[in-house]
């Protein structure tokens, strides 16, 4: 029996682990993929207070090593279900604890257009920092209008021959400073008011069809980087904790779910700002509250 089971080894889950380990609690963290969560995909983190600039993967590695140094057990197992008695079933076993902290993060949102799924890994990517180097000297497109898309464009413009930035609106929600940097690049073409409607290619991406104010245009590219935000992946918890209409775990006052002894931290919960700063904040509060409540 563990004191706390933490689901997810992103910044929220690992911070919860750090705080719980420092309080001498017996904990385990379950991670289905690689530790670090979405921040691993960030080319550069420049808005984390006290860290002027660091790659997302370095940040994740440092946090993971910090947690491991405290003796935290991280098991690379996929959580399949939890129950209200704080039992957790993974693809490899069953575990129980006095408390559970849910920090599963979010998935990449997909365009849901023809050939997208078929060409994942064959030109379609959701991570410029992971896959950008495969497109050295080639033409690529980035879809999206948020910070991820803008930062992906900056990163890819130093590697690729040409980068199209395609956004469905006439303005971006990503940082103005990053956009200014992009505009200085002579190998970036910005296409606004345009949606990608189809990806062409049989063995690999060859071109995309975009719809620009009712006019169709075909753009030849080798790689398509989809950076259109994220979606929650909380379905497996829906019989135990309340989920809102967008799929996020309801977290009334921050980290409490609707079920006593089950807490939530990070991007998986309903919140107005999903950032590294808010994820680590959630993780520290969730662990502190869980420990306090289990001892009362
Ligand atoms: P985001 O801010 O949610 O932006 C998603 C973008 O994709 C929006 O421009 C959205 O357009 C567009 N979009 C959504 N669905 C689409 C679809 N089906 N087809 C075409 N376009 C679609 O996502 P994000 O850029 O991944 O950022 C997520 C969070 O991480 C944000 O809070 C962001 O600030 C943060 N972040 C921060 C940094 C940093 O500070 N260094 C870096 C990366 C990300 P609409 O506006 O039309 O919906």
């Amino acid at each position: 029996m563990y004191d706390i089971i933490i689901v997810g080894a992103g910044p929220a889950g690992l911070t919860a682990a750090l705080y719980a380990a420092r309080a001498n609690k017996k904990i385990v963290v379950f991670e289905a993929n690689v530790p670090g969560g979405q921040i691993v995909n960030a080319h550069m983190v420049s808005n984390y207070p006290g860290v002027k600039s660091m790659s997302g993967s370095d940040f994740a590695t440092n946090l993971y090593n910090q947690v491991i140094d405290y003796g935290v057990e991280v098991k690379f197992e996929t959580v399949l279900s939890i129950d209200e008695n704080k039992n957790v079933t993974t693809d490899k076993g069953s575990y129980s604890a006095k408390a559970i902290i849910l920090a599963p993060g979010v998935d990449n949102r997909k365009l849901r257009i023809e050939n997208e799924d078929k060409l994942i890994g064959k030109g379609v990517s959701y991570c410029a920092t992971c896959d950008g180097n495969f497109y050295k000297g080639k033409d690529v497109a980035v879809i999206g209008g948020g910070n991820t898309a803008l930062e992906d464009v900056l990163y890819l413009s130093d590697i690729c021959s040409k980068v199209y930035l395609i956004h469905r609106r006439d303005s971006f929600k990503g940082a103005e400073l990053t956009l200014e940097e992009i505009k200085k690049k002579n190998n970036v073409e910005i296409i606004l008011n345009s949606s990608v409607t189809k990806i062409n290619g049989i063995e690999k991406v060859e071109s995309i069809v975009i719809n620009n104010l009712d006019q169709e245009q075909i753009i030849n590219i080798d790689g398509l980087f989809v950076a259109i935000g994220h979606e929650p992946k909380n379905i497996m918890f829906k019989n135990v904790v309340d989920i809102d209409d967008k799929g996020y775990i309801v977290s009334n006052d921050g980290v409490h779910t609707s079920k006593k002894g089950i807490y939530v931290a990070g991007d998986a919960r309903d919140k107005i700002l999903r950032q590294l700063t808010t994820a680590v904040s959630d993780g520290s509060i969730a662990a502190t509250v869980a420990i306090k409540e289990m001892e009362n």
Side-chain angles (χ1 to χ4, degrees):
M1 160 87 91
Y2 288 95
D3 289 317
I4 307 178
I5 288 176
I6 298 168
V7 180
L14 289 177
T15 304
L18 182 64
Y19 273 64
R22 285 171 58 85
N24 274 330
K25 295 298 166 197
K26 188 179 179 207
I27 51 176
V28 62
V29 182
F30 290 113
E31 172 56 54
N33 299 304
V34 290
Q38 294 287 334
I39 202 64
V40 170
N41 302 341
H43 173 47
M44 212 47 82
V45 176
S46 310
N47 60 355
Y48 191 83
V51 179
K52 199 171 170 195
S53 191
M54 186 185 277
S55 78
S57 63
D58 281 353
F59 184 93
T61 304
N62 287 350
L63 177 55
Y64 180 71
N65 289 338
Q66 188 178 8
V67 166
I68 294 298
D69 283 351
Y70 273 100
V72 170
E73 194 180 352
V74 178
K75 287 183 182 281
F76 292 94
E77 302 182 18
T78 302
V79 171
L80 302 176
S81 66
I82 64 167
D83 71 24
E84 51 191 41
N85 297 319
K86 274 92 81 183
N87 298 309
V88 173
T89 306
T90 73
D91 56 347
K92 296 198 180 126
S94 298
Y95 308 85
S96 50
K98 295 177 194 158
I100 298 176
I101 296 175
L102 301 174
V106 287
D107 269 337
N108 296 312
R109 181 176 289 130
K110 290 185 173 181
L111 287 164
R112 296 197 171 87
I113 55 172
E114 198 177 333
N115 289 331
E116 181 179 14
D117 283 341
K118 196 182 92 181
L119 294 173
I120 290 174
K122 297 171 182 167
V124 174
S125 168
Y126 301 85
C127 178
T129 19
C130 319
D131 300 331
N133 227 38
F134 296 129
Y135 300 92
K136 213 173 187 164
K138 298 188 170 172
D139 293 355
V140 299
V142 175
I143 315 301
N147 277 316
T148 303
L150 298 188
E151 291 186 9
D152 284 358
V153 168
L154 264 192
Y155 177 69
L156 292 167
S157 65
D158 289 335
I159 299 173
C160 304
S161 167
K162 167 112 190 183
V163 183
Y164 296 92
L165 169 58
I166 300 168
H167 182 35
R168 64 183 179 185
R169 295 189 192 275
D170 62 1
S171 63
F172 292 95
K173 68 192 254 197
E176 191 60 38
L177 268 181
T178 318
L179 187 59
E180 289 309 315
E181 285 299 303
I182 287 173
K183 286 178 179 166
K184 289 181 200 154
K185 301 276 182 179
N186 55 19
N187 62 340
V188 175
E189 183 175 335
I190 300 175
I191 303 177
L192 297 173
N193 299 310
S194 301
S195 298
V196 184
T197 53
K198 190 181 171 196
I199 305 167
N200 293 320
I202 296 166
E203 294 299 319
K204 61 182 188 60
V205 170
E206 287 165 13
S207 65
I208 49 174
V209 180
I210 63 167
N211 195 306
N212 182 330
L213 303 173
D214 284 339
Q215 294 215 317
E216 272 200 350
Q217 185 186 347
I218 294 180
I219 300 178
N220 294 325
I221 49 165
D222 302 287
L224 178 68
F225 290 88
V226 181
I228 60 169
H230 305 98
E231 289 173 332
K233 44 178 173 181
N234 297 323
I235 290 288
M236 74 190 88
F237 310 124
K238 80 173 182 354
N239 295 330
V240 181
V241 297
D242 289 351
I243 307 277
D244 72 11
D245 57 356
K246 294 195 177 88
Y248 293 100
I249 296 170
V250 176
S251 62
N252 308 309
D253 58 350
V255 296
H256 287 106
T257 68
S258 54
K259 198 64 66 193
K260 194 166 181 283
I262 302 181
Y263 306 84
V264 61
D267 287 2
R269 76 175 182 90
D270 53 351
K271 62 200 294 194
I272 53 164
L273 186 63
R274 292 188 173 82
Q275 296 263 287
L276 189 50
T277 48
T278 62
V280 301
S281 166
D282 282 359
S284 56
I285 296 169
T288 305
V289 171
I291 292 165
K292 196 171 162 207
E293 292 183 350
M294 97 179 43
E295 286 172 351
N296 281 339

